[in-house]
Amino acid sequence: MVQTYLKHGPTQAFGLVCSSSSNSVFDGKFAYVPALEDILVWDVKKGQMVSMWHETGHREEVTCIVQSPNPDSFAVGYKDGSIRLWSASTGSIVTTFNGHRKAITALAFDKAGTRLASGSQDTDLILWDIVGEAGLYRLRGHRDQITAIQFLAIANNQSSTSTAAATGLLLTASKDTFMKVWDLSTQHCTQTVVAHRSEIWSLDINQDQEVVFTGSSEGELKAWKIDHRAFASGLRETETGEVAKMVHPISSLPLASKHRVSQIKFHPTQPYLAVQSHDRSVEIFRIRTEEEIQKKRLRRKKRAKEKKQQEQGKSSGNNNQKDDAEMEVDNASFTMESHLVDYFTPHLVVRASGKIRSFDFGSKESTPKGSMQLFVALSSNALEVYNVPSPAKSKEELPEATRSFSVDLPGHRTDVRALSLSSDDQILASASNGSLKIWNMKTTQCIRTMECGYAICSTFLLGDRHIAIGTKSGEILIYDIASSTLIESIKAHTSTVWSMHMRADGQALVTGSADKDVKFWKFEHRDSTDDSIQSGKLLSLVHIRTLKMSDEVLSVKYSPNNKFLAVALLDSTVKVFYQDSLKFFLSLYGHKLPVLSMDISDDSKLIVTCSADKNVKIWGLDFGDCHKSIFAHDESVMQVAFEKGTHYFWTVGKDKLLKYWDGDKFEGIQKLEGHHGEVWALALSHHGNFVVTGSHDKSIRVWEKLDEPLFLEEEREKELEGLYESGIADSLNRADPPIGSGAEGGPVNGASEAEVGTVTKQTTETLMASERIMEALDLADTERQTFKEYEEAMLRLSEDDTMRMQPPPRNAVLAAYDLEPEAWVLRVVEKIPATALQDALLVLPFGKVVSLMVYLNIWSQKGWNITLVSRIMFFLLKTHHHQIIANRIMRTTLIPLRKHLRAALQQQKDVIGYNLAALHFIRRKNDSERVAQFYEEEGMDEEKVKARIAGGKKRKRVDLKA
């Protein structure tokens, strides 16, 4: 009989406040932050998580977040090059865009929120139509990762003969040191600026769209002026014959730090500019007004003049008049280009408690006190909000930013190194460098946080009221969970405590350390001292004996039957001793690198060891024979543990995977992906219901046992299918090297690649959608052919002929849905997402395209979903133009299709035109009624009436009572 197992699946991920994979967005109340593959929404004031945006089955990290001008809509970019539009109110995906081959690095919405520009590590820039849910075009030109994108709006008061783009311009910055200006009407780059000598990491533009700031990896902040007149007139030549430039350099702005300029941001409403260039600080500049600058300049001139007079000791009226005239000339010639420092004056520096990943300004409206909020997302898994005060009037009072809110308790600052579960599986303890946290497994809420050293291992003590931690400095720390206090700190070893294990009877503890000692401890309750926080009896450890080893001890384990003690050493061997007498029993040789962890099965018959050599070995504990050696992970295997009451065991490794194995048949049962960093810690439920893992990515994940059975053959087939489908998609998405990169397969002999291209990307979803279309076409074609043959046969027979027979049975699918063949094909095509439709149609063979054209003709004749018919029709004609004109087969289909589609479109045009005319009529009638009402008032002439209409004041309604 085929062996079946129960499947495990990811159920929860917690311990994350925010990950450092992406920027964060703050709207004054809620913070939208990345949490590896999810987005978390935090109420920073309450410190509570409001919602989690999670897509089932999607495991790629979030790399970029941007909020649309419509506050409910967010665009989120991922590591696999996909972009998802999320609705904040529902927490669901609106649409998915696939076009980039590598991680998304920059996103920007236009002013109306109808278009989205995305930049990626694949150096391409793609413009997306949000309303039409389709990629408009791909722009190529940059030679390295695009780091920043900004839309530039053009003034609406252009002449009708203007050659400028009606659709606006795009400003992009890249690691290739270039800043480019793209004309979206011609879909080409109109200006390339060599902005810095090193990589450009950030870019922002002020509200008036006059000044652009760029920041480089050398810590340089440069300002650029935008020439709107050059934009309005389009591409033109200057007197010297050169093309008029649209972006001109101004000067550099000195910064307090010389580190990489990671982020630049103008405040949406207030005169502030913030620059993040240091690990822990954000520098804020105040933007002065023209009046302030003139006053400051006059004071400076006056002081210089007085100083000069004092030096000379004399002054004349003529000189005074001359100085005043000079001052007026200077003021007239004073521009931002010459005195950028006067416009942007340093206000203060905000220093956070950890390394800053990104920052954002708070609410767009200014607070009553004139201060503003600065939100900071830290790389150490924490969020902070600072209050930045307005400038002080007196020079003595230096403004200082104060931290108003922080969210840091629901997660560790560093890697989760140790996990342990209480005996009833209700409480989880997680330890890292600096903190020990206690979690409620039912609600996944952090209920206790205690400070500790660099924790390496941990275990609950008998009764689950206390927990022991082994540290890097060699100490054993005992904590009381109820009071969140450190009861005792024991200097147990002189070096790192690598492992600790409590005996099955709960009466003894063993620790193994890098000082080559294995120490045994017993528990005792001692009286509390006067200076201790708790009263009554306190739990303590008493050292009873020591086992000296020849090398560093990496892992220690008691057997469940209390008979043996296994000790893993740095020399890659495992020594097994009798637990009571410490007499040597077995030595397990075979690993090429040190054994990092081991476990003994419940029946004390098997011992499993995992090593840094990537192998897991299963040994018999009776004779020490190696039953099987399995190449388990692609990196070091960090921990291993047997499932309660079975010979199934779990392993975790530095390759970010959790794996489930059968220790009797030596087969891998399941491979679970989810973590985005090395997995350090593993804890198994005492009842075998779930597994908990802790990782370098600071997340703690729970994998629960499901009721769904698992068959090994099916799992292998699924893996192979996944590899095959991804292989097809990769071959179809052949990556062309960037322009000018000189890479193999790139443009040859000076022939440059096209600067603009179509937006296509084949994924597993689009390939499956294409297969569904082909299946529907085959089914419908067969059905129509069968009934056509039947009808032809019936026509040849007379009415009373005995050969007349019943019509053939309908296809089971069509009969079940009670649909005609053409309606079934339309149903299948309509179910394909708009974003994946074009890519799905690209994969269709030409024979199926011919077949689909027939159904397009039927749909247009019946007036079914004319919008979709038009989209498919025009795309197919554009894609297969050469094949269509090369033969005459399509003529019979295209001529009636043209006739029917034109008729259907004309009908829709008539309906829309009629409705539009009706709306115009209603508006004119409304205007005339309002004008008549105004004229009825006394003393109103035509100009006043027009003014009031323009003001939009409506008539006040009054209820008349009889």
Side-chain angles (χ1 to χ4, degrees):
M1 187 178 170
V2 179
Q3 173 78 41
T4 62
Y5 305 89
L6 285 177
K7 193 175 279 189
H8 285 73
T11 52
Q12 283 179 314
F14 56 95
L16 270 174
V17 178
C18 70
S19 59
S20 58
S21 59
S22 162
N23 66 307
S24 302
V25 174
F26 183 56
D27 64 2
K29 185 180 181 185
F30 297 119
Y32 303 87
V33 300
L36 302 175
E37 71 270 26
D38 301 328
I39 301 285
L40 301 182
V41 184
W42 290 95
D43 186 328
V44 289
K45 194 173 182 180
K46 295 178 182 176
Q48 292 178 352
M49 189 173 79
V50 180
S51 67
M52 176 194 280
W53 302 349
H54 175 77
E55 185 186 3
T56 309
H58 190 255
R59 297 191 190 93
E60 296 294 333
E61 270 187 299
V62 174
T63 54
C64 190
I65 308 170
V66 67
Q67 189 174 17
S68 165
N70 166 22
D72 184 54
S73 182
F74 285 80
V76 180
Y78 293 85
K79 200 173 182 178
D80 61 351
S82 63
I83 303 163
R84 284 164 176 74
L85 293 180
W86 289 86
S87 167
S89 56
T90 60
S92 59
I93 296 173
V94 179
T95 186
T96 304
F97 294 129
N98 275 302
H100 290 286
R101 291 183 290 272
K102 291 184 182 176
I104 304 294
T105 51
L107 290 169
F109 280 98
D110 68 352
K111 201 172 181 181
T114 56
R115 287 178 302 168
L116 175 71
S118 62
S120 165
Q121 283 181 357
D122 63 9
T123 75
D124 288 351
L125 181 71
I126 295 181
L127 210 71
W128 305 91
D129 179 4
I130 303 293
V131 181
E133 296 185 359
L136 297 173
Y137 44 84
R138 185 191 302 269
L139 297 170
R140 301 186 185 96
H142 283 292
R143 299 179 186 179
D144 207 337
Q145 168 183 323
I146 294 169
T147 52
I149 302 172
Q150 286 288 338
F151 273 92
L152 288 174
I154 293 180
N156 293 324
N157 54 357
Q158 294 176 9
S159 62
S160 58
T161 55
S162 170
T163 57
T167 51
L169 298 120
L170 208 58
L171 203 61
T172 59
S174 166
K175 279 190 180 181
D176 60 9
T177 74
F178 297 146
M179 179 167 62
K180 285 180 178 280
V181 182
W182 303 85
D183 188 333
L184 298 182
S185 63
T186 59
Q187 299 168 16
H188 281 85
C189 177
T190 57
Q191 186 182 352
T192 300
V193 183
V194 184
H196 292 267
R197 286 174 297 176
S198 59
E199 299 167 342
I200 305 175
W201 275 94
S202 50
L203 172 149
D204 200 21
I205 187 167
N206 69 347
Q207 284 297 305
D208 300 331
Q209 297 204 334
E210 292 173 346
V211 183
V212 174
F213 276 97
T214 55
S216 74
S217 57
E218 290 180 346
E220 191 178 21
L221 185 67
K222 279 189 178 179
W224 309 80
K225 185 175 182 294
I226 295 172
D227 189 349
H228 282 277
R229 282 184 295 181
F231 283 156
S233 55
L235 286 173
R236 58 184 175 81
E237 289 187 355
T238 57
E239 295 172 359
T240 56
E242 295 177 353
V243 176
K245 291 181 179 178
M246 302 179 184
V247 178
H248 305 277
I250 300 177
S251 68
S252 295
L253 191 64
L255 294 172
S257 167
K258 290 294 175 192
H259 289 73
R260 184 182 89 192
V261 181
S262 306
Q263 193 179 350
I264 304 166
K265 196 169 181 72
F266 280 93
H267 195 284
T269 53
Q270 297 186 48
Y272 289 107
L273 168 71
V275 180
Q276 179 207 336
S277 56
H278 194 263
D279 278 355
R280 289 170 176 255
S281 63
V282 175
E283 200 171 341
I284 297 176
F285 294 87
R286 187 169 64 86
I287 306 168
R288 286 199 173 110
T289 60
E290 292 284 350
E291 293 78 18
E292 287 177 313
I293 293 167
Q294 293 295 354
K295 282 179 186 176
K296 186 179 179 183
R297 194 161 168 73
L298 286 167
R299 280 201 304 274
R300 197 183 295 161
K301 282 281 185 185
K302 195 175 180 182
R303 281 199 300 271
K305 182 181 166 186
E306 286 170 359
K307 193 176 180 183
K308 194 176 180 182
Q309 284 176 355
Q310 285 171 5
E311 286 174 1
Q312 291 178 354
K314 58 180 180 178
S315 63
S316 62
N318 292 335
N319 284 346
N320 285 342
Q321 289 173 2
K322 188 179 177 185
D323 288 343
D324 291 341
E326 282 178 5
M327 200 181 293
E328 284 175 14
V329 170
D330 283 347
N331 287 338
S333 63
F334 181 77
T335 58
M336 188 180 283
E337 287 90 331
S338 55
H339 292 82
L340 186 74
V341 181
D342 285 341
Y343 273 87
F344 297 90
T345 179
H347 180 43
L348 57 82
V349 176
V350 177
R351 286 184 174 83
S353 60
K355 185 181 177 183
I356 297 173
R357 171 60 181 86
S358 71
F359 71 89
D360 197 3
F361 287 111
S363 54
K364 294 179 181 177
E365 299 80 22
S366 57
T367 54
K369 294 178 183 175
S371 62
M372 66 166 180
Q373 286 184 318
L374 186 78
F375 166 81
V376 173
L378 305 181
S379 296
S380 59
N381 196 26
L383 310 173
E384 293 179 341
V385 178
Y386 288 85
N387 256 343
V388 179
S390 54
K393 291 183 179 177
S394 59
K395 288 184 180 179
E396 288 77 22
E397 298 175 21
L398 289 171
E400 277 191 14
T402 54
R403 189 170 71 183
S404 50
F405 309 113
S406 70
V407 181
D408 57 1
L409 287 178
H412 288 280
R413 304 284 76 73
T414 51
D415 299 11
V416 180
R417 290 303 300 258
L419 292 172
S420 51
L421 278 161
S422 62
S423 56
D424 59 358
D425 293 339
Q426 296 293 314
I427 294 173
L428 173 77
S430 63
S432 68
N433 179 9
S435 66
L436 164 69
K437 290 184 182 285
I438 310 295
W439 306 84
N440 182 334
M441 283 303 292
K442 202 170 185 181
T443 61
T444 66
Q445 295 295 312
C446 178
I447 51 178
R448 296 279 189 277
T449 299
M450 294 160 267
E451 287 186 6
C452 70
Y454 197 135
I456 298 293
C457 53
S458 67
T459 181
F460 273 93
L461 303 180
L462 192 66
D464 296 334
R465 291 169 179 248
H466 302 87
I467 189 164
I469 299 287
T471 68
K472 200 170 186 178
S473 57
E475 294 176 318
I476 297 176
L477 308 175
I478 301 175
Y479 290 89
D480 180 78
I481 295 171
S483 60
S484 304
T485 52
L486 172 65
I487 300 173
E488 192 173 12
S489 175
I490 303 160
K491 185 64 183 170
H493 294 270
T494 56
S495 190
T496 307
V497 180
W498 283 115
S499 177
M500 60 166 57
H501 189 229
M502 195 166 69
R503 210 165 61 193
D505 59 6
Q507 299 303 312
L509 186 77
V510 63
T511 57
S513 166
D515 63 3
K516 304 181 184 178
D517 287 351
V518 176
K519 290 191 177 181
F520 298 85
W521 311 80
K522 72 173 184 180
F523 300 109
E524 75 167 22
H525 291 276
R526 58 177 175 80
D527 294 325
S528 61
T529 55
D530 296 334
D531 57 344
S532 66
I533 299 168
Q534 278 189 308
S535 59
K537 296 281 185 183
L538 295 179
L539 187 72
S540 178
L541 289 179
V542 178
H543 178 227
I544 47 175
R545 55 182 174 171
T546 302
L547 176 64
K548 296 274 185 184
M549 303 303 296
S550 60
D551 215 330
E552 292 185 22
V553 180
L554 295 180
S555 181
V556 287
K557 206 82 177 177
Y558 280 114
S559 65
N561 62 4
N562 289 347
K563 190 178 178 183
F564 301 114
L565 172 75
V567 181
L569 302 177
L570 192 67
D571 62 3
S572 309
T573 63
V574 176
K575 302 276 194 291
V576 183
F577 300 88
Y578 287 102
Q579 184 267 134
D580 48 2
S581 63
L582 296 186
K583 186 181 173 184
F584 178 75
F585 172 54
L586 286 173
S587 189
L588 309 177
Y589 294 96
H591 283 290
K592 296 182 178 66
L593 289 171
V595 172
L596 302 176
S597 175
M598 57 189 174
D599 199 15
I600 301 170
S601 63
D602 270 4
D603 55 10
S604 299
K605 288 182 179 177
L606 292 182
I607 178 169
V608 61
T609 57
C610 67
S611 164
D613 63 8
K614 309 173 189 176
N615 287 294
V616 167
K617 290 183 187 288
I618 303 156
W619 317 75
L621 204 51
D622 41 7
F623 301 109
D625 56 322
C626 181
H627 290 185
K628 188 71 174 177
S629 181
I630 305 169
F631 182 79
H633 290 260
D634 294 332
E635 298 286 342
S636 301
V637 189
M638 299 310 296
Q639 279 212 356
V640 63
F642 271 107
E643 199 173 85
K644 187 83 171 172
T646 67
H647 283 179
Y648 304 152
F649 62 91
W650 294 85
T651 58
V652 292
K654 282 189 176 179
D655 60 356
K656 309 172 188 176
L657 296 175
L658 166 70
K659 292 190 177 183
Y660 190 29
W661 306 87
D662 186 333
D664 292 326
K665 295 196 170 184
F666 319 123
E667 284 185 314
I669 300 170
Q670 202 175 354
K671 180 172 74 175
L672 294 163
E673 298 172 340
H675 279 291
H676 296 264
E678 300 95 340
V679 187
W680 296 115
L682 170 71
L684 260 66
S685 155
H686 292 88
H687 302 100
N689 298 328
F690 60 87
V691 185
V692 188
T693 52
S695 166
H696 168 71
D697 61 22
K698 304 182 185 65
S699 71
I700 301 167
R701 290 174 188 261
V702 183
W703 317 79
E704 271 187 22
K705 187 178 280 185
L706 310 172
D707 294 332
E708 190 181 340
L710 180 146
F711 298 93
L712 294 183
E713 287 299 318
E714 282 186 11
E715 288 298 304
R716 303 291 172 271
E717 282 177 17
K718 280 180 188 174
E719 281 183 28
L720 288 171
E721 277 178 22
L723 285 169
Y724 175 67
E725 285 171 352
S726 63
I728 294 175
D730 290 342
S731 64
L732 289 168
N733 298 324
R734 189 176 57 83
D736 298 316
I739 296 173
S741 64
E744 189 180 343
V748 198
N749 298 332
S752 63
E753 191 184 14
E755 196 174 47
V756 63
T758 55
V759 183
T760 57
K761 183 188 178 185
Q762 295 299 338
T763 61
T764 311
E765 288 76 23
T766 59
L767 292 173
M768 287 173 68
S770 184
E771 282 179 13
R772 285 200 300 273
I773 294 174
M774 285 191 269
E775 284 172 8
L777 288 171
D778 286 338
L779 188 150
D781 285 347
T782 309
E783 183 81 353
R784 291 180 75 226
Q785 184 63 30
T786 306
F787 275 87
K788 187 181 176 184
E789 287 173 359
Y790 166 73
E791 284 165 7
E792 285 175 355
M794 290 300 101
L795 283 172
R796 288 195 293 269
L797 300 171
S798 61
E799 287 283 337
D800 53 352
D801 198 312
T802 54
M803 293 297 289
R804 291 186 72 85
M805 52 189 164
Q806 291 291 324
R810 293 181 67 191
N811 184 287
V813 175
L814 299 177
Y817 285 100
D818 193 22
L819 290 173
E820 292 300 314
E822 53 271 19
W824 170 250
V825 178
L826 181 63
R827 180 193 172 99
V828 170
V829 173
E830 281 179 334
K831 282 192 174 181
I832 296 168
T835 48
L837 183 60
Q838 288 191 0
D839 290 323
L841 292 171
L842 271 178
V843 191
L844 285 181
F846 187 65
K848 297 296 176 192
V849 171
V850 175
S851 180
L852 184 58
M853 288 281 197
V854 175
Y855 291 101
L856 289 173
N857 181 29
I858 297 168
W859 300 340
S860 58
Q861 190 176 357
K862 295 186 176 183
W864 291 348
N865 203 338
I866 298 301
T867 313
L868 182 66
V869 172
S870 305
R871 267 189 74 186
I872 297 171
M873 182 69 238
F874 300 137
F875 179 76
L876 291 177
L877 286 174
K878 190 169 64 176
T879 309
H880 301 282
H881 177 255
H882 295 296
Q883 291 97 320
I884 290 167
I885 60 171
N887 59 56
R888 299 176 65 86
I889 301 168
M890 301 292 292
R891 189 178 176 85
T892 52
T893 311
L894 285 174
I895 290 172
L897 177 58
R898 180 179 66 176
K899 177 188 167 189
H900 296 139
L901 191 59
R902 278 186 178 176
L905 288 171
Q906 185 61 46
Q907 188 181 353
Q908 290 207 348
K909 185 182 174 185
D910 292 343
V911 171
I912 293 167
Y914 182 83
N915 292 341
L916 202 61
L919 288 170
H920 283 314
F921 170 74
I922 292 167
R923 188 180 69 181
R924 283 198 302 273
K925 187 179 178 186
N926 184 39
D927 287 348
S928 64
E929 284 179 359
R930 286 165 67 192
V931 169
Q933 174 67 18
F934 287 137
Y935 269 126
E936 287 169 9
E937 296 180 23
E938 291 183 9
M940 292 289 284
D941 57 4
E942 193 175 350
E943 288 181 3
K944 286 181 182 178
V945 169
K946 283 181 179 176
R948 282 188 63 175
I949 291 171
K953 291 180 181 177
K954 293 184 179 178
R955 289 176 293 167
K956 189 176 180 181
R957 296 187 179 274
V958 180
D959 291 332
L960 297 174
K961 293 181 181 179

